[in-house]
Amino acid sequence: MMRVFYGQAKGNAHRYQCRGDDAHVGAGLCIGIGGVRVDRAVAQQILEAVSDRAVEAAILASDQVERSRQEIIAAVERELEVASYEASLAARRYELVDPAKRHVARELEARWNGALVRVAELEGRIKEQRAASAETPKIDRALLLQLAHDLPRVWNAPSTDTRTKQRLVHIVVREIVCDLDENTNEAVLLVHWTGGRHTEVRVARVKTGRYPADMTPTAVDALRKLAGHWPDRELAVSLNRMRCKTGDGETWTTVRVREMRERLGLPEYDPASSDGKMISLAKAAARFGICVGSAKSLVLKASCRQRKRSRGRNGWFGSTR
């Protein structure tokens, strides 16, 4: 189940995240996507679903369903007429049989009962179809088209609160299943509509916060740089956030970090010998009073500026500031 998370600072956009297994160190987040683009994409689909053309199509489909139901009723009524005649014919045959011929009378009686059962079955089908037709609400075409015309303006009006929009969404949408396409860097949304139809929507993901291809660190490089400065648990969290994998493609845990650190001969974290020059991203965010996502964006921007300055000195970009 996706949950909504909000930034700590005022005005930060929300995110939809699946925490997965929260007990697994640093690897709980399996899917995360910014909520602004997702909300806009879903809102656009909802407005299209209730647009003028969609309402016209829905009214046409409803009329076709009603015509089909009336055709079914007419066909069943014709069957009922034939079945009633066969039942009356079977009754007359039974009445004319000689009572002494018990075997013949028993066969005619069974045929009569079968004909009566067929009549009752057809009468029940007609009753069900007429009840379904009576329960179908009468459609006011002009009113529906007016509502469809006014909905976009109401949806985008500043006075429309989120609760009203949620109620509208719950009317037409049953659920939304989210997945990530790493190849195209898109979020794939499968909208399950109330009527049973499905719509696939693709939302482009923001690339901010990812390492450039030429700067992606390996797990060994990260451990050699960070070991001794942070505890093994925070090292596991950092490696998972950098999307580093173990040799067999697994996520990092405290035990795996300790085993790898020991194999590399790297020192264990000692708070007494820490020089304080390196802190975790969470501690940096807490010190500046911002969320972890904002702190990560600042780190990436600073890294990009450093790369530009380095390339500028090599003549790639000329002078940079």
Side-chain angles (χ1 to χ4, degrees), residues 3-314:
R3 291 183 287 178
V4 186
F5 290 83
Y6 299 91
Q8 297 178 358
K10 183 178 180 181
N12 284 356
H14 60 283
R15 289 180 58 83
Y16 296 111
Q17 294 182 355
C18 174
R19 297 301 303 177
D21 185 7
D22 290 335
H24 202 190
V25 178
L29 178 61
C30 61
I31 292 180
I33 183 66
V36 175
R37 293 191 178 191
V38 171
D39 290 353
R40 290 175 180 174
V42 173
Q44 182 179 0
Q45 292 296 320
I46 292 174
L47 295 179
E48 290 180 0
V50 295
S51 61
D52 296 350
R53 291 174 295 180
V55 171
E56 288 280 7
I59 294 175
L60 178 61
S62 178
D63 293 340
Q64 291 177 348
V65 170
E66 183 61 26
R67 284 196 298 269
S68 299
R69 185 179 290 119
Q70 294 301 325
E71 291 174 357
I72 292 174
I73 292 176
V76 176
E77 286 178 344
R78 289 192 294 269
E79 292 185 25
L80 176 61
E81 183 178 355
V82 175
S84 299
Y85 172 76
E86 292 178 352
S88 61
L89 184 60
R92 289 196 300 271
R93 288 173 178 174
Y94 176 76
E95 292 174 354
L96 295 176
V97 70
D98 187 356
K101 300 179 178 180
R102 290 178 294 177
H103 295 290
V104 177
R106 189 181 302 112
E107 178 65 23
L108 293 177
E109 184 180 9
R111 293 181 181 181
W112 184 19
N113 291 333
L116 292 176
V117 171
R118 176 62 176 169
V119 170
E121 178 185 352
L122 294 175
E123 289 177 345
R125 289 177 57 185
I126 293 175
K127 184 177 180 180
E128 291 178 359
Q129 292 292 334
R130 288 178 176 173
S133 179
E135 292 176 357
T136 302
K138 302 301 180 181
I139 298 177
D140 190 335
R141 182 176 180 276
L143 179 59
L144 281 179
L145 292 176
Q146 184 64 35
L147 291 174
H149 182 268
D150 294 340
L151 183 59
R153 184 170 65 253
V154 175
W155 185 278
N156 298 315
S159 58
T160 304
D161 59 359
T162 304
R163 187 179 299 274
T164 302
K165 294 182 180 180
Q166 290 176 346
R167 292 178 60 187
L168 293 174
V169 172
H170 291 165
I171 293 174
V172 297
V173 176
R174 181 179 178 182
E175 67 174 355
I176 300 176
V177 180
C178 180
D179 197 359
L180 301 183
D181 189 342
E182 298 293 346
N183 296 327
T184 60
N185 194 35
E186 294 176 326
V188 183
L189 307 176
L190 186 61
V191 182
H192 293 194
W193 301 99
T194 301
R197 300 294 297 270
H198 302 78
T199 302
E200 180 180 291
V201 183
R202 289 182 170 266
V203 182
R205 301 172 63 195
V206 180
K207 297 183 179 180
T208 303
R210 295 174 178 262
Y211 284 96
D214 57 345
M215 293 184 61
T216 303
T218 64
V220 175
D221 294 337
L223 284 177
R224 291 187 184 278
K225 187 176 182 61
L226 302 177
H229 298 283
W230 292 350
D232 291 341
R233 178 184 176 85
E234 293 192 12
L235 288 176
V237 173
S238 299
L239 290 174
N240 288 324
R241 284 177 175 171
M242 290 187 291
R243 303 199 175 193
C244 295
K245 298 293 184 178
T246 62
D248 53 358
E250 298 292 337
T251 55
W252 288 96
T253 63
T254 304
V255 175
R256 290 170 181 165
V257 169
R258 184 177 67 251
E259 292 176 351
M260 176 62 74
R261 181 177 51 76
E262 292 175 352
R263 284 199 298 267
L264 296 175
L266 300 175
E268 186 179 0
Y269 173 70
D270 184 6
S273 61
S274 177
D275 55 8
K277 294 182 179 180
M278 300 182 65
I279 62 174
S280 65
L281 190 64
K283 292 181 180 179
R287 179 175 298 182
F288 287 105
I290 59 178
C291 64
V292 175
S294 299
K296 188 186 301 183
S297 299
L298 293 176
V299 171
L300 181 63
K301 291 178 181 179
S303 177
C304 291
R305 293 194 191 100
Q306 181 64 29
R307 293 176 66 243
K308 289 182 178 180
R309 283 195 291 267
S310 176
R311 291 179 179 178
R313 288 191 294 268
N314 293 330

